[in-house]
Amino acid sequence: MSKQKKRPEELRSHRWYGVQDLRSFAHRSRAKQMGYGSEDYAGKPVIAVINTWSDMNPCHSHFRQRAEEVKRGVWQAGGYPVELPAMSLAETFVKPTTMLYRNLLAMEVEELLRSHPIDGAVLMGGCDKTTPALLMGAISMDLPAIFVPAGPMLSGRWRGQPMGSGSDHWKYWAELRAGNIDQAAWEEIEDGIARSPGHCMTMGTASTMTSIAEVLGFTLPGAASIPAPDSNHSRMASLSGRRIVEMVWDDLKPADILSSAHFDNAIAVDMALGGSTNAIVHLVALARRAGVDLKIDRFDEISGDVPVIANIRPSGAFLMEDFYYAGGLRGLLSNMRDLLELDCATVNGRTLGENIADAEVFDADVIRGLDNPVAAKGSTAVLRGNLAPEGAVIKASAAEKRLWQHAGPAVVFEDYNDMAARIDDADLPVTADSVLVLRNAGPLGGPGMPEWGQLPIPKKLLEQGVRDMVRISDARMSGTSYGACVLHVSPESFVGGPLALVRDGDTIRLDVPGRVLEMQVDDAELKRRRAEWTAPRPHYGRGYGALFTGHVSQVHEGCDFDFLERGAPTPEPEIH
Ligand code: FES
């Protein structure tokens, strides 16, 4: 923080534009080809505006305009903005899952920054995987970087009721299948559940990860909570453009900001938000990129000390628009200041504590006090046992409490297609006490660890009024989902984890308070089953899928690629 200000000839981009040789002649003449003169770029920080806009990403549909607003700020502050498009990773459209491509976007961001004459970066993202991917790439490249979160969309509406994207469609899909609403109502819900640009406005992965980006110090204070269509969002974009230019002169890089305390703060805030379980995977990956040794057990340790105080769906009652009007993330942080490390650095050059010094809460029902929480303890429990030697997680606050301690017979599905084909079969031997088990849904088995962990309740149980039951898988679950779903079982079944050995009728025991997940099958029988088990064939023989298959880590290690997480720093490119 107390570094000398950079001089223009110390800028990284100076090597491209500022020296007198044949190559820099080419760079300058090609800038002129695009209509820029030396007055635009000479001696100025070159700022990459990494834009994950695309026609396939509704959550980022305002990013063309926001990119212009970022550029306006960069120009105002004396920088030279250049927009670099990057993979948009739309959660709803990309198959089999965006998680397959998170590391590809992270790698793309790192290489975009490395290969171009860039001095600093504005990272534009918000739809689930874009936030961790942009931050992972920026941390590895370690140039000054600021994050512009997409902002949540406006609240959904149906017949006067607020509706949450990603949450209520599950709820009403179950009601449609149970015959409680008709097709016309279902189509009205389709019209009203996503009303504006912006990411999902429940406390799903997007809202969780953009809030975490702010707590990690990567955004201007309050940025993560501003609804996407709000004019304050435009002004935040411009201010971020102004600030990144100052950060370049100050040489304020991710490595100067991040510490292990930032990650503890991020976990605490994840718990207070009732955040998505996906945050666990992403935070472990981000920490390892930053050289911080973060184990999944840290989530459980911190969870026990932090109540859920954001009354936001799916753990609570309200939506992100309400959260913003109630004071937003700064308000929430001020209510839990005693649980945070307040001297953590942030991109604006001030500490987290300084950034929330004057924050207020305007609706004590939406943002609760620590003495009046939505849930007394954090939302995430890490389970272990003979079914998950490396851990599994459950978002207990989103499950019916009666299921926190439960034992029942397994109903096993070999993979997603098997589950989809049989789940509503009238002859499926399932009762409300059964434990649904889905395997081959992990990082390699899915592939890409899709969000299949909220297995649907079998139709015949829905008709009996059952709305929650214990479900176990090596998949992830959307942060907007809910239910007694044990997720991230590690190691995954595809590589021979114990989930591969479960059989129909085995008794599975879940004990959330005791942190146990086990199958009550003796060791000799498990040994016999293991001897019979054969590894499935890999999904990919070529292309990016083969790269993914060869290098992705298991979920308790963050699902990063081994060669991105480790190794000597990549050298700067030679400029010939
Ligand atoms: Fe983009 Fe939910 S679909 S955040």
Side-chain angles (χ1 to χ4, degrees), residues 120 140 152 192 236-237 265 306 333 361 373 409 479 483 498:
S140 290
M236 177 272 292
N265 280 348
V306 183
L333 294 172
V361 170

Side-chain angles (χ1 to χ4, degrees), residues 59 91-92 127-128 199-200 206:
C59 304
E91 191 63 27
T92 38
C127 194
D128 291 15
H199 61 67
C200 290

Side-chain angles (χ1 to χ4, degrees), residues 70-86:
V70 168
K71 289 182 197 172
R72 186 173 74 209
V74 173
W75 286 122
Q76 287 169 356
Y80 174 42
V82 293
E83 189 171 341
L84 298 175

Side-chain angles (χ1 to χ4, degrees), residues 237-252:
S238 285
L239 288 170
S240 301
R242 290 176 69 96
R243 177 59 193 157
I244 188 63
V245 177
E246 295 169 356
M247 287 172 68
V248 171
W249 292 126
D250 291 343
D251 197 25
L252 181 56

Side-chain angles (χ1 to χ4, degrees), residues 181-242:
I181 62 169
D182 61 15
Q183 184 63 24
W186 179 240
E187 288 172 17
E188 286 174 22
I189 291 167
E190 185 176 301
D191 292 341
I193 201 163
R195 299 171 43 230
S196 81
H199 61 67
C200 290
M201 71 327 228
T202 41
M203 190 49 70
T205 304
S207 301
T208 305
M209 289 309 301
T210 54
S211 299
I212 280 175
E214 182 165 334
V215 175
L216 290 176
F218 274 98
T219 76
L220 293 180
S225 313
I226 308 171
D230 195 301
S231 55
N232 286 297
H233 196 271
S234 297
R235 294 195 299 112
M236 177 272 292
S238 285
L239 288 170
S240 301
R242 290 176 69 96

